[in-house]
Amino acid sequence: MRTRPFLFPAIAGATLVAIAASAQVPAGTGQLSGSQSLKIKHCDKVSDSVNAAVVLGANGNFSITNAGDVLTGTSTGAGNVNTLMLDAGSQALVTDLLEDAATQACGTEVDITSVSFSQGQLKVNKRATSAKLQVKATATGTSSEGSGTGKYKLKAKGPWNTAT
Amino acid sequence: VAAFAAPREPLLQQLARDVGFRLELGDVPLAPLTLQIQSEPLELALPLLVGDLEYQAEWSTEGAAHRLAVLRVGGERKPVPNAQDAGLAPGEVHASLERELEAQRHGPAESLTRSQVESDLASSDPEQRVRAALSLESEGSDLERLRSLLESDPDPRVRAAATVGLEDAEDFAGLDALLGGLDDPDPEVVVEVLDSIEYAGDESVIPRLRPLLAHADPRVREAAANAIATLE
């Protein structure tokens, strides 16, 4: 049984390419709800709901709080999309959360050895009244049964309140 | 499908929504339709649905699945002017939209009455039509109004304003209308459409965006690349 909700895979090596910003998601807050799942070959798929409080500062720093876990990092904007990058502490937290989720999915203790982050975005609509959080990642781990990879996805959406 | 002297356009639109293809209707009148189709394959049912009108179907194949991607019925769309034809300065389509949105964000929260919206949509002043377009809801019959504005309003600023409501639609019809806007003759409108698809779309629309990486206008190429990178 998973002991904690998992949220938001980290960046291994933080190799995201930031697009030169002409604009970005306006600073603000949002309560975004949706779902997340981790799918591992030869194991069960685990999924969970997400109800994340997102705070984005004017300097691009962000925090995401879901079920008591707080992830922080920096972001760069292009258009109405910000690319999110977790700080080192949050990457470690996410690795722990994914280990819990993978252990639940496989029914045996799993150690996450790497997490490759393919998408981490906060998007707003043109009115800047609604936001979407999307995350995709691939995690590699080992257990007594051998090694394997899992696909993680998160989608959440909700109203966005621009800071005045 | 069972229809007795039914208006053909809503039937085709319903079918497009149900099956998930893009419908492009030309400017010819669509005669009412009487027919009953039960389990015929779509390729056999299409001539019955379209009748004696000229049509063109584009099919896509993914794996073993063969699906209808685009159905054009009744010839070419009525040409709509681009920003240059409308006498607008470069960048004005986006700039005017930003001004209106900014005014809405920071101005008094007063909404237009239904009759005001209807009156403004019929106005010869594009700025009034822009404000009316921004007042339309992203659902119900307003969604069809937004689609119609994006398809055929003579002013590119109004077509660009229609993307704001379409990107917020929960109904697939909103995204479908945006995909139709990728063919807009004005590059600045196409950029707005791409920005909205970047927000509203998912990876399934990427094949529709790839051809725009070779668009003649560099702004469109950049917007398409950004949208694809976001949606991948």
Side-chain angles (χ1 to χ4, degrees):
Chain A
M1 174 67 83
R2 179 161 44 85
T3 55
R4 290 189 289 179
F6 58 100
L7 172 73
F8 208 78
I11 311 156
T15 52
L16 290 178
V17 176
I19 301 164
S22 57
Q24 62 177 29
V25 175
T29 60
Q31 191 71 38
L32 313 184
S33 57
S35 63
Q36 57 184 339
S37 66
L38 178 66
K39 194 174 177 183
I40 303 171
K41 201 171 181 183
H42 305 307
C43 295
D44 290 338
K45 177 182 175 182
V46 289
S47 56
D48 200 0
S49 61
V50 170
N51 189 8
V54 180
V55 179
L56 177 68
N59 57 2
N61 290 347
F62 70 87
S63 71
I64 300 172
T65 305
N66 180 64
D69 291 313
V70 183
L71 301 172
T72 54
T74 59
S75 68
T76 54
N80 291 335
V81 180
N82 269 30
T83 299
L84 308 176
M85 290 160 284
L86 294 174
D87 56 34
S90 295
Q91 289 183 41
L93 172 58
V94 165
T95 301
D96 286 349
L97 296 174
L98 282 176
E99 273 180 354
D100 288 347
T103 296
Q104 182 199 12
C106 298
T108 183
E109 190 79 18
V110 174
D111 288 325
I112 298 291
T113 52
S114 71
V115 182
S116 168
F117 178 94
S118 60
Q119 189 182 67
Q121 297 167 338
L122 182 66
K123 304 194 276 186
V124 290
N125 62 354
K126 286 177 178 167
R127 295 187 200 274
T129 55
S130 178
K132 288 181 180 178
L133 177 65
Q134 293 186 342
V135 177
K136 285 183 190 173
T138 302
T140 303
T142 58
S143 73
S144 58
E145 308 291 318
S147 63
T149 58
K151 300 276 188 192
Y152 174 82
K153 279 186 186 177
L154 178 151
K155 279 190 176 185
K157 182 182 177 185
W160 187 250
N161 304 302
T162 305
T164 51
Chain B
V1 177
F4 180 74
R8 194 176 303 233
E9 187 170 334
L11 270 177
L12 288 170
Q13 286 166 342
Q14 181 66 45
L15 187 69
R17 281 194 291 274
D18 291 348
V19 178
F21 62 84
R22 183 170 129 212
L23 177 65
E24 293 181 4
L25 294 174
D27 294 324
V28 296
L30 298 175
L33 184 67
T34 298
L35 88 170
Q36 185 167 9
I37 300 172
Q38 288 185 333
S39 55
E40 284 84 350
L42 192 55
E43 52 267 45
L44 297 182
L46 276 183
L48 302 173
L49 287 160
V50 172
D52 57 358
L53 293 173
E54 179 188 339
Y55 77 96
Q56 184 185 7
E58 285 181 18
W59 300 83
S60 69
T61 304
E62 286 174 21
H66 187 59
R67 72 173 193 88
L68 181 60
V70 183
L71 177 64
R72 295 188 186 88
V73 181
E76 295 295 317
R77 278 170 58 178
K78 195 189 298 178
V80 289
N82 58 28
Q84 205 172 3
D85 298 337
L88 299 173
E92 180 55 20
V93 169
H94 178 72
S96 70
L97 182 56
E98 275 302 304
R99 279 197 302 273
E100 282 300 328
L101 287 170
E102 200 61 22
Q104 281 195 349
R105 281 180 208 127
H106 301 296
E110 59 179 45
S111 56
L112 297 175
T113 64
R114 193 69 217 177
S115 63
Q116 281 174 315
V117 172
E118 293 299 335
S119 161
D120 286 354
L121 284 173
S123 167
S124 60
D125 179 358
E127 291 187 3
Q128 274 186 291
R129 296 205 302 283
V130 165
R131 279 192 287 276
L134 293 176
S135 300
L136 291 171
E137 301 288 337
S138 302
E139 58 188 11
S141 60
D142 277 5
L143 204 49
E144 192 49 41
R145 301 295 295 270
L146 288 166
R147 172 196 284 273
S148 171
L149 288 173
L150 177 57
E151 267 183 8
S152 56
D153 192 281
D155 194 287
R157 289 168 293 184
V158 182
R159 300 202 297 279
T163 64
V164 174
L166 289 169
E167 72 174 15
D168 285 336
E170 297 290 341
D171 193 313
F172 174 75
L175 182 57
D176 187 49
L178 287 169
L179 291 169
L182 293 173
D183 298 329
D184 197 283
D186 191 313
E188 293 187 35
V189 175
V190 179
V191 168
E192 292 300 330
V193 168
L194 283 164
D195 281 350
S196 287
I197 290 173
E198 186 176 0
Y199 173 75
D202 57 33
E203 60 197 359
S204 69
V205 305
I206 290 176
R208 298 287 302 277
L209 308 186
R210 288 201 194 284
L212 295 171
L213 295 172
H215 196 279
D217 191 296
R219 294 166 298 179
V220 173
R221 295 199 297 271
E222 184 186 1
N226 287 344
I228 289 168
T230 296
L231 297 172
E232 266 176 343

